[in-house]
Amino acid sequence: MSTSATPSVLFVCVHNAGRSQMGAAFLTRLGGDHVQVRSAGSAPADSVNPAVVEAMREVGIDISAETPKILTVEAVQSSDVVITMGCGDACPYFPGKRYLDWQLDDPAGQGVAAVRPIRDEIERRIRRLLAELGIEASA
């Protein structure tokens, strides 16, 4: 972890249009000001998956204004925890960072019904991550 009192977490998937957006949104909601949150993709899409936006709206989180972002070396370097979600070897590795690889189904091309279980699993993992970081979930 960095010397900062606020840990920084980066979520990475290929398109930054589904899983990483959900992870970032849940961590932002549940971690509040106690954690810095970023998300990025190795090959960002043009927009966030509409089924993901709808699935998150169902749980009271609006990510409709989010846009996929390109993964940069700087984003990885400035993060304490890097959570990969299917980006393979595209994510740069730096010693001293904590890396977690979350194997989750890809919501690309799926409807809302298929996205819901992915969303719910991401929320469970975010709650566990907060507990590991010693941060009490705010919602």
Side-chain angles (χ1 to χ4, degrees), residues 27-84:
L27 188 55
T28 298
R29 164 69 63 85
L30 298 171
D33 294 338
H34 302 287
V35 64
Q36 295 176 355
V37 182
R38 298 178 183 87
S39 71
S42 54
D46 293 329
S47 61
V48 175
N49 179 332
V52 168
V53 172
E54 180 58 31
M56 293 302 285
R57 184 177 290 124
E58 290 177 353
V59 294
I61 300 175
D62 182 5
I63 62 169
S64 62
E66 296 298 325
T67 57
K69 295 165 271 316
I70 186 74
L71 175 65
T72 65
V73 170
E74 295 79 18
V76 177
Q77 286 177 317
S78 61
S79 299
D80 298 306
V81 181
V82 179
I83 299 174
T84 58

Side-chain angles (χ1 to χ4, degrees), residues 26 59 115-125:
F26 274 123
V59 294
V115 174
R116 286 183 189 118
I118 301 167
R119 173 202 65 201
D120 295 345
E121 178 60 23
I122 290 172
E123 181 180 9
R124 281 189 287 278
R125 292 181 189 203

Side-chain angles (χ1 to χ4, degrees), residues 85-105:
M85 302 168 147
C87 69
D89 296 331
C91 189
Y93 178 82
F94 293 97
K97 303 287 175 199
R98 179 177 176 197
Y99 286 87
L100 301 172
D101 185 31
W102 289 359
Q103 298 293 319
L104 297 158
D105 291 337

